[in-house]
Each structure stands twice: as C-alpha cells, then as structure tokens.
C-alpha cells in the first residue's frame, strides 16, 4: 500500500514540478507525470535508506518534489541539447 501512495503522490509531485519549472516540455504531461513518479520513488528510497525522513510526512513530500525537479532538469538538459533550433 505504501508504494501505491508513492505513485499517487508522484503524480501530484510531477504536476508541482511542472509548475515550478514552467516552459515547453519535450514530452508533455505524460513525461512530466512519469518524472514525478520516478522522483518520488528515488526520493523515497534514498531518503529512507539514509534516514533523512520516514516513509510519510512533509519532508518526504518536499523531497519528492525536489527529486522530480532534478529529474525534470536533467530531462530538459538532455532533450533540449539534442534539439536543433
């Protein structure tokens, strides 16, 4: 059940990451949502393994947002770099 919540929170986190980093995404809403889920998974795993936060709570949510923003930055860097303008 814990990981189901990680996915649900990941979708919300993806939307918040998109709001923090506005602009044209190469992949659109689906990629943003998937990056939010991935950021939430990575943040959950790393944060819990390092003892930074428990499985739930405000710090976990903030960490998930930061993880999604970092993944979105990496995604922008990789795909905008290959794009010819």
């Amino acid at each position: 059940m814990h990981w189901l919540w990680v996915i649900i929170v990941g979708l919300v986190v993806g939307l918040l990451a998109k709001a923090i980093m506005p602009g044209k995404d190469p992949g659109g809403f689906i990629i943003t949502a998937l990056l939010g889920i991935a950021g939430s998974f990575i943040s959950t795993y790393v944060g819990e393994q390092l003892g930074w936060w428990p499985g739930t709570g405000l710090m976990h949510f903030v960490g998930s947002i930061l993880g999604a923003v970092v993944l979105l930055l990496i995604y922008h860097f990789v795909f905008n770099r290959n794009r010819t303008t």
Side-chain angles (χ1 to χ4, degrees):
M1 189 70 170
H2 170 73
W3 291 106
L4 177 64
W5 278 110
V6 170
I7 292 170
I8 292 169
V9 168
L11 290 172
V12 173
V13 163
L15 294 173
L16 290 173
K18 176 64 179 156
I20 291 171
M21 293 190 52
K24 186 173 176 139
D25 281 335
F29 171 77
I30 299 297
I31 296 297
T32 303
L34 290 175
L35 288 173
I37 292 169
S40 184
F41 271 118
I42 291 169
S43 172
T44 296
Y45 181 76
V46 171
E48 288 177 0
Q49 293 300 316
L50 295 176
W52 289 349
W53 50 77
T56 60
L58 181 62
M59 285 307 297
H60 173 77
F61 188 70
V62 171
S64 294
I65 293 171
L66 291 175
V69 168
V70 168
L71 288 179
L72 197 56
L73 278 170
I74 292 169
Y75 183 78
H76 276 267
F77 178 74
V78 168
F79 283 96
N80 285 337
R81 184 175 174 182
N82 293 333
R83 189 183 276 182
T84 58
T85 55

